[in-house]
Amino acid sequence: MATVVQCKHYVKSSRSAFLASVRGEAGKPGRLAAGRYLFVTSRELSPQLHDEVARILGIAHDDVWGRHALNDALGRNPAVERQHFKLWLSSTGVLESVLHAGRWQRSDALLADAARHAKYWVQTPVYATVLDTLEQQGACVVAGPPGAGKTFLAEMVTLQAARDGWEVTRISGDIEAAWEALRPQTRQLFYYDDFLGQAELKLTAPGEAPDLLRFVRHIRVLKQDKRLIMTSREQVLTQAAAAGSDPLRQLTREPPRYAITLPTYGLLTRAEILFNHLYFSDLPPSERDRLAVDTRMIKIVEHPAYNPRLIETITTRTLTDATAGQVLDRIMRMLDNPDELWEVSFDVLASLAKQILLTLATLPPWPVPHDELRYLADPAAGALDWKTALKSLEPTWVHLASSDTGRYVSFSNPGCRDHVLRRLDDTDLAAEQIGRIRRLQ
């Protein structure tokens, strides 16, 4: 007869709600038909509660696992913990040790973002393929349309590398800095997000291509202790492939390339991504429970415009007093008209907040020093007005990160920047913005 393992989270639930759930499992066919039945929960179990669960289910005391039993099992099987970084990411001191182990050069903001996003991660076959390619080839490009998850995947690769003892360096448009960061006999992983430009092929790409191509080839020769992962939108790679620069065209062909496309996400993967974002939103636990029986979940997963970034953006804006129905209705509405999400949010912002976004969009797409952004956006703004405007943008529009070198501001995700750039398609607005910056310079 089969062994059945029933897993329950219920960390934030009351004792009575937890026991009601246990009683609900007692009479289910899986419990009655199992040769052996184990009940596992990440909830802390007191000796009395442990005994109560075993009694209700009619199983051996040792077949009830609480948080301590789970942690003990992970301690005896470190390979399991290493394979699933969500487990070690929340371990006491592990993240702190990675951050201060000297493995992150100019990348503490990247680490913070990766750690913040890791709880939403759903592992797909592409992730394992990319890891294998980096080990065998030394370099690879992860490509895909906006919002498909290519940057998210690359961030999880860098997080795993840091956990495994690799020094991670983020390349921010200056390949010369990457050359200078190379150290012999040191395991290093270099990460270059949107290496050819974010929304379109950047003007400097043809001039930078020869040196970047040499760097790619150098990394591949030293693949035993050097790795390089780059990301790009498919449309930008297409532009580069059609460019007149031979090194630029070679960059689109030479490193192995893996495309993340939304059709490659099966319904189960889509459902897991949706559930993770809803679970870690600010929805009350009682409302989260309603999601399991709401047919709109299936409609969202099957929607032709399904996009992980859109799901993330909507759920991170969820209010603590929202209902599950309101959130699902909002997701469905935005999937039918994605740009409405940004239009409504942008239009109600104060003038200074709008100016911050417009200024940030005209700068390179990586974290900008806070003081520099403030000077370029509105040097005459008072401290209180500036703090209020910036606070109104976080976390929907911008993300603030601190490091040893100061505070940095970046867009929360590329979708935010895309919308602001579309607004700058208005020639009058674009000319006004360029004129402001020129006057400041």
Side-chain angles (χ1 to χ4, degrees):
M1 298 179 70
T3 295
V4 174
V5 180
Q6 175 63 50
C7 299
K8 293 285 185 182
H9 190 51
Y10 277 84
V11 169
K12 299 179 181 179
S13 300
S14 65
R15 176 189 174 95
S16 58
F18 172 68
L19 288 176
S21 177
V22 174
R23 294 188 186 97
E25 296 299 329
K28 288 186 176 180
R31 164 67 193 96
L32 301 175
R36 183 185 179 192
Y37 187 90
L38 290 90
F39 184 87
V40 182
T41 176
S42 48
R43 181 189 181 96
E44 189 76 48
L45 295 180
S46 66
Q48 295 81 7
L49 187 57
H50 195 129
D51 292 341
E52 181 74 0
V53 172
R55 184 189 65 76
I56 292 172
L57 294 173
I59 60 178
H61 186 274
D62 289 344
D63 286 344
V64 176
W65 285 31
R67 182 183 301 175
H68 284 306
L70 275 173
N71 288 337
D72 288 345
L74 287 172
R76 295 191 301 270
N77 298 274
V80 174
E81 187 178 39
R82 284 195 300 272
Q83 185 177 355
H84 301 279
F85 55 74
K86 280 189 182 181
L87 296 174
W88 60 258
L89 186 64
S90 59
S91 299
T92 303
V94 172
L95 184 57
E96 190 75 10
S97 66
V98 171
L99 181 59
H100 296 292
R103 299 179 188 136
W104 293 79
Q105 296 187 359
R106 304 179 349 184
S107 303
D108 41 2
L110 169 65
L111 173 60
D113 282 345
R116 183 166 56 92
H117 292 151
K119 59 189 175 185
Y120 304 120
W121 174 243
V122 175
Q123 191 160 313
T124 64
V126 177
Y127 175 76
T129 301
V130 168
L131 290 180
D132 289 343
T133 301
L134 285 173
E135 183 175 351
Q136 297 169 16
Q137 303 288 333
C140 78
V141 174
V142 180
K150 56 188 179 297
T151 297
F152 195 6
L153 184 148
E155 285 180 351
M156 296 304 102
V157 169
T158 62
L159 192 61
Q160 183 65 57
R163 169 63 173 80
D164 292 339
W166 289 70
E167 177 187 280
V168 177
T169 298
R170 182 175 191 164
I171 303 174
S172 299
D174 182 6
I175 196 62
E176 185 60 34
W179 281 107
E180 293 173 358
L182 281 169
R183 295 196 294 166
Q185 299 180 338
T186 300
R187 292 196 299 172
Q188 294 176 282
L189 182 141
F190 294 85
Y191 170 48
Y192 199 168
D193 194 27
D194 290 317
F195 74 103
L196 293 172
Q198 190 173 61
E200 60 183 0
L201 186 66
K202 58 186 179 182
L203 296 176
T204 57
E208 296 171 356
D211 203 23
L212 178 55
L213 184 60
R214 283 193 295 271
F215 187 77
V216 169
R217 291 171 175 172
H218 185 68
I219 293 295
R220 297 185 71 180
V221 170
L222 303 176
K223 62 184 180 182
Q224 294 302 317
D225 60 10
K226 299 289 181 285
R227 308 277 166 82
L228 171 64
I229 182 168
M230 303 188 291
T231 70
S232 177
R233 293 185 181 185
E234 284 285 1
Q235 66 192 48
V236 178
L237 284 171
T238 301
Q239 292 172 358
S245 165
D246 187 58
L248 196 54
R249 289 196 300 270
Q250 286 180 284
L251 276 174
T252 67
R253 299 191 303 263
E254 189 161 313
R257 172 169 146 193
Y258 295 96
I260 298 179
T261 58
L262 295 175
T264 62
Y265 287 142
L267 292 181
L268 179 59
T269 298
R270 290 184 175 207
E272 287 185 84
I273 292 171
L274 175 61
F275 179 79
N276 275 1
H277 282 85
L278 290 168
Y279 182 85
F280 289 107
S281 72
D282 287 332
L283 271 177
S286 59
E287 291 298 321
R288 290 203 301 264
D289 292 342
R290 297 178 190 274
L291 296 170
V293 294
D294 198 308
T295 57
R296 282 170 294 187
M297 293 282 285
I298 298 175
K299 292 180 180 178
I300 291 170
V301 167
E302 295 178 338
H303 198 288
Y306 179 94
N307 186 291
R309 183 186 297 153
L310 192 65
I311 300 297
E312 176 190 6
T313 303
I314 296 172
T315 54
T316 52
R317 296 186 187 183
T318 301
L319 302 177
T320 54
D321 60 350
T323 66
Q326 289 171 337
V327 174
L328 295 180
D329 280 344
R330 181 173 174 79
I331 293 175
M332 286 296 297
R333 190 168 65 251
M334 294 308 166
L335 287 174
D336 291 335
N337 184 14
D339 215 41
E340 179 187 336
L341 179 71
W342 304 112
E343 288 176 357
V344 173
S345 177
F346 187 91
D347 288 342
V348 299
L349 292 172
S351 296
L352 179 55
K354 290 178 180 177
Q355 186 56 51
I356 291 172
L357 295 179
L358 289 168
T359 303
L360 193 58
T362 63
L363 300 172
W366 46 76
V368 176
H370 169 273
D371 293 345
E372 178 182 328
L373 178 63
R374 181 175 179 180
Y375 175 74
L376 292 174
D378 191 345
L384 181 59
D385 290 340
W386 174 263
K387 289 180 180 178
T388 301
L390 202 58
K391 187 175 181 179
S392 72
L393 297 172
E394 191 184 21
T396 299
W397 286 95
V398 303
H399 173 62
L400 274 69
S402 298
S403 71
D404 294 339
T405 57
R407 298 175 67 201
Y408 293 83
V409 185
S410 59
F411 278 109
S412 291
N413 65 61
C416 303
R417 187 171 189 265
D418 287 347
H419 178 78
V420 179
L421 286 174
R422 281 195 292 274
R423 287 182 174 263
L424 288 170
D425 285 340
D426 182 317
T427 54
D428 291 337
L429 181 59
E432 177 184 316
Q433 190 66 22
I434 293 172
R436 288 186 70 264
I437 294 178
R438 281 178 175 169
R439 287 194 296 273
L440 288 171
Q441 290 176 335

